[in-house]
């Protein structure tokens, strides 16, 4: 008999195991939510009912968020928590989850927002106490110490059946078009606005609302230096003027936005002398000769209609095959593909070289990382909205955002020095940590949850649990 064959001889499969816990990583997620004060904070701001079998609505939201991290894609998937019944006790039913989401009106959403902000302040204080401190962003080899970076981006969610608010999208699909804001420092989803599929990409009111809700999530001490990055949808007068108006003596707000190129922009690009172009920068700070950057500010007449603090920077790269059919006459003639970034950054205090066009270009290009965060959110609950009702789907989006918070906090507080887990994709995190089987036993008046000691990430699992257990409770 060859090696590896015959494994099933005398093997009997049954369903009578006792003391078994599936998806044991749920204990890490729930521990994080409880120790950071998220569960109790949500319970305090949501209305409570009376009578037997009543669930605290905050606990229902956290339970749903944990299920979403584990892979739930519908409200019925709350049943996955039955695998941890020996640890957590009973889990909410699908009707309970539906009622909890349906009951989240605007007043409740505002209360939840304040509760999340309070918990986030506690978490960020804990992050600042770590040996490596708060996770400040590094761009092109330069540390942006003290700066909180907010990325705004919209995404599309396909609806596979008629749902309230679903509509045709600009990409000829059908579904929803939510707009979100993410913190690049921590990978948290600070705010998200569910919108119909027909919502515009550059709707100013939506951008201002989401940005305001995102900043409200920041601890007060972290609102003094804010950098906002948006793609081309943000290049509107009203939004940029709104951001400029946020600057105060005690607060500095910078931005970079994409810029739709017009004929006037191309005329300005043609006027650039050859020596105006400099090599671009990679994200590690090294120069690259495959891309070049130049200052376009003094040559572009379009800036006459904007405030005097706006700068335009142009980047050129060799077009790829997929861009060939969309090139303009100028791009075909010169053999380069152009992209423009608008910014109010003249320089950033304490960051040498931050005034240089090539560094600002690298700063804006790192905004592309928000696509990874959008993809992560979709992998954790946002790929599909489960209900026909708008209110329930809006609540589901909130639960998915809470799931993103819990995941980020678990990584930052318990797995920050585990290289293969700290930034792992959702599927990888589930396989290596969250979907582990375990056995629960009672010993010396204690319950002992045991995972396989031969599992490659067993030490990381137990280390994460110990770190989360030692977190100081919020008051």
């Amino acid at each position: 008999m060859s090696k590896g064959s015959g494994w099933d001889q005398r093997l009997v499969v049954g369903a009578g195991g006792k003391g078994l816990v599936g998806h044991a990583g749920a204990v890490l997620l729930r521990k994080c939510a409880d120790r950071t004060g998220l569960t109790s904070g949500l319970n305090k701001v949501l209305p409570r009912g009376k009578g037997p079998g009543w669930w605290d609505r905050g606990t229902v939201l956290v339970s749903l968020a944990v299920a979403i991290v584990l892979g739930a894609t519908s409200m019925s998937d709350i049943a996955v928590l039955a695998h941890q019944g020996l640890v957590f006790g009973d889990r909410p039913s699908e009707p309970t989850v539906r009622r909890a989401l349906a009951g989240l009106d605007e007043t409740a959403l505002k209360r939840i927002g304040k509760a999340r902000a309070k918990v986030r302040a506690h978490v960020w204080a804990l992050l600042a106490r770590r040996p490596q401190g708060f996770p400040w962003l590094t761009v092109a080899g330069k540390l942006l110490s003290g700066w909180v970076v907010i990325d705004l981006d919209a995404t599309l969610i396909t609806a596979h059946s008629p749902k309230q608010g679903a509509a045709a999208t600009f990409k000829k699909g059908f579904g929803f078009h939510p707009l979100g804001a993410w913190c690049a420092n921590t990978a948290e989803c600070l705010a998200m606005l569910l919108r119909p599929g027909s919502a515009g990409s550059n709707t100013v009111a939506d951008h201002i609302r989401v940005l305001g809700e995102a900043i409200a999530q920041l601890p007060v001490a972290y609102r003094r230096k804010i950098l906002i990055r948006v793609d081309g949808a943000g290049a509107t007068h009203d939004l940029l003027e709104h951001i400029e108006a946020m600057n105060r003596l005690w607060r500095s707000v910078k931005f970079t936005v994409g810029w739709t190129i017009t004929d006037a922009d191309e005329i300005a690009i043609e006027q650039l002398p050859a020596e105006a172009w400099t090599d671009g920068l990679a994200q590690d700070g090294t120069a690259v000769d495959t891309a070049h950057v130049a200052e376009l500010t003094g040559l572009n007449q379009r800036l006459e209609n904007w405030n005097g603090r706006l700068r335009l920077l142009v980047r050129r790269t060799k077009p790829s095959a997929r861009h060939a059919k969309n090139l303009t006459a100028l791009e075909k003639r010169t053999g380069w593909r152009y992209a423009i970034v608008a910014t109010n950054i003249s320089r950033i205090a304490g960051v040498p070289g931050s005034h240089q066009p090539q560094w600002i270009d690298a700063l804006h290009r790192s905004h592309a990382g928000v696509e990874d965060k959008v993809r992560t959110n979709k992998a954790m609950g946002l790929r599909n909205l489960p209900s026909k009702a708008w209110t329930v789907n809006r609540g589901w989006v909130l639960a998915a955002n809470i799931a993103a918070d819990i995941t980020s906090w678990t990584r930052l507080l318990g797995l920050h020095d585990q290289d293969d887990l700290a930034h792992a994709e959702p599927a990888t995190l589930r396989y290596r940590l969250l979907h582990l089987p375990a056995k629960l036993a009672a010993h010396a008046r204690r319950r002992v949850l045991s995972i396989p000691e031969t599992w490659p990430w067993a030490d990381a699992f137990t280390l994460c649990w110990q770190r989360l257990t030692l977190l100081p409770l919020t008051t």
Side-chain angles (χ1 to χ4, degrees):
M1 185 178 297
S2 62
K3 186 177 182 179
S5 63
W7 61 270
D8 57 343
Q9 292 185 7
R10 301 182 181 179
L11 177 66
V12 178
V13 176
K18 296 182 179 180
L20 304 180
V21 176
H23 296 148
V27 301
L28 302 178
L29 302 170
R30 183 59 189 271
K31 190 69 169 179
C32 180
D34 292 352
R35 294 298 296 187
T36 57
L38 179 63
T39 309
S40 59
L42 293 178
N43 282 331
K44 288 179 182 177
V45 299
L46 293 175
R48 303 187 65 178
K50 298 179 180 179
W54 176 266
W55 278 88
D56 287 333
R57 292 302 183 237
T59 301
V60 173
L61 269 181
V62 169
S63 298
L64 178 59
V66 169
I68 287 174
V69 180
L70 294 178
T73 58
S74 66
M75 287 174 284
S76 62
D77 284 344
I78 194 71
V80 75
L81 296 185
H83 292 294
Q84 299 89 38
L86 294 176
V87 180
F88 297 139
D90 292 338
R91 46 89 182 175
S93 65
E94 178 185 354
T96 297
V97 171
R98 187 180 299 274
R99 286 194 298 270
L101 298 184
L104 298 178
D105 57 15
E106 289 293 341
T107 300
L109 292 176
K110 290 179 180 179
R111 290 175 178 171
I112 290 173
K114 291 180 180 179
R116 291 177 66 197
K118 183 177 180 180
V119 174
R120 200 179 313 278
H122 176 60
V123 171
W124 284 27
L126 295 175
L127 295 179
R129 296 176 199 165
R130 301 181 308 171
Q132 64 271 47
F134 188 81
W136 303 117
L137 210 62
T138 298
V139 175
K142 300 183 185 299
L143 180 66
L144 291 176
S145 180
W147 287 86
V148 173
V149 182
I150 298 176
D151 289 314
L152 269 66
D153 197 25
T155 188
L156 296 175
I157 299 176
T158 300
H160 300 283
S161 61
K163 297 177 180 179
Q164 188 178 7
T169 68
F170 70 96
K171 287 192 175 181
K172 300 181 180 180
F174 182 81
F176 302 89
H177 193 190
L179 176 66
W182 287 262
C183 177
N185 304 77
T186 59
E188 297 162 294
C189 186
L190 300 175
M192 183 169 287
L193 177 65
L194 181 61
R195 305 187 300 168
S198 56
S201 298
N202 57 353
T203 305
V204 175
D206 292 346
H207 278 79
I208 290 177
R209 175 178 174 178
V210 171
L211 179 58
E213 292 178 356
I215 292 175
Q217 284 295 308
L218 302 181
V220 174
Y222 289 84
R223 300 181 191 177
R224 295 172 184 152
K225 296 179 180 180
I226 302 174
L227 172 63
I228 301 163
R229 300 185 297 194
V230 201
D231 58 16
T236 60
H237 281 269
D238 290 343
L239 177 61
L240 299 190
E241 289 172 1
H242 174 78
I243 295 176
E244 281 285 5
M246 292 167 57
N247 282 283
R248 299 286 191 275
L249 290 175
W250 55 272
R251 179 171 64 192
S252 179
V253 183
K254 306 294 184 182
F255 65 80
T256 65
V257 299
W259 184 269
T260 303
I261 297 180
T262 65
D263 292 341
D265 298 310
E266 290 197 333
I267 292 173
I269 291 172
E270 285 190 286
Q271 297 175 8
L272 285 169
E275 60 271 16
W277 295 98
T278 58
D279 287 346
L281 292 177
Q283 289 303 315
D284 62 0
T286 58
V288 295
D289 58 6
T290 56
H292 307 96
V293 184
E295 181 90 35
L296 199 62
T297 305
L299 300 174
N300 199 318
Q301 296 180 352
R302 286 181 67 189
L303 287 182
E304 294 177 0
N305 298 323
W306 297 75
N307 65 61
R309 292 179 294 279
L310 198 66
R311 294 175 66 186
L312 292 184
L313 314 173
V314 58
R315 173 185 175 84
R316 69 181 187 186
T317 55
K318 288 295 182 181
S320 63
R322 70 185 182 91
H323 294 134
K325 63 180 181 180
N326 296 320
L327 297 178
T328 66
L330 172 65
E331 291 173 329
K332 292 178 180 178
R333 187 169 68 253
T334 61
W336 295 100
R337 182 171 176 266
Y338 300 99
I340 295 178
V341 173
T343 183
N344 66 343
I345 298 175
S346 56
R347 68 178 59 250
I348 296 178
V351 183
S354 57
H355 64 289
Q356 297 172 345
Q358 59 268 41
W359 184 82
I360 297 176
D361 170 70
L363 173 66
H364 183 72
R365 282 188 292 111
S366 64
H367 166 69
V370 73
E371 298 293 341
D372 291 332
K373 298 179 181 65
V374 171
R375 180 166 46 81
T376 297
N377 272 53
K378 284 191 169 184
M380 288 189 176
L382 285 184
R383 195 171 302 282
N384 178 60
L385 299 184
S387 176
K388 293 183 180 296
W390 175 271
T391 305
V392 174
N393 284 334
R394 184 177 60 183
W396 178 271
V397 169
L398 171 63
N401 287 351
I402 293 174
D405 279 353
I406 295 174
T407 306
S408 296
W409 298 343
T410 301
R411 293 175 188 267
L412 291 166
L413 296 172
L415 301 168
H416 51 83
D417 55 358
Q418 305 298 305
D419 294 337
D420 51 354
L421 293 171
H423 305 287
E425 292 288 329
T428 302
L429 190 67
R430 287 167 181 155
Y431 172 74
R432 294 179 176 177
L433 212 64
L434 301 181
H435 288 181
L436 268 178
K439 186 172 183 179
L440 187 68
H443 177 70
R445 297 185 179 181
R446 300 176 68 184
R447 294 185 302 159
V448 181
L449 186 67
S450 302
I451 60 173
E453 63 179 356
T454 56
W455 186 248
W457 298 276
D459 289 342
F461 189 103
T462 54
L463 176 62
C464 183
W465 172 262
Q466 291 166 1
R467 286 173 169 170
L468 295 175
T469 301
L470 295 174
L471 293 178
L473 286 170
T474 182
T475 57

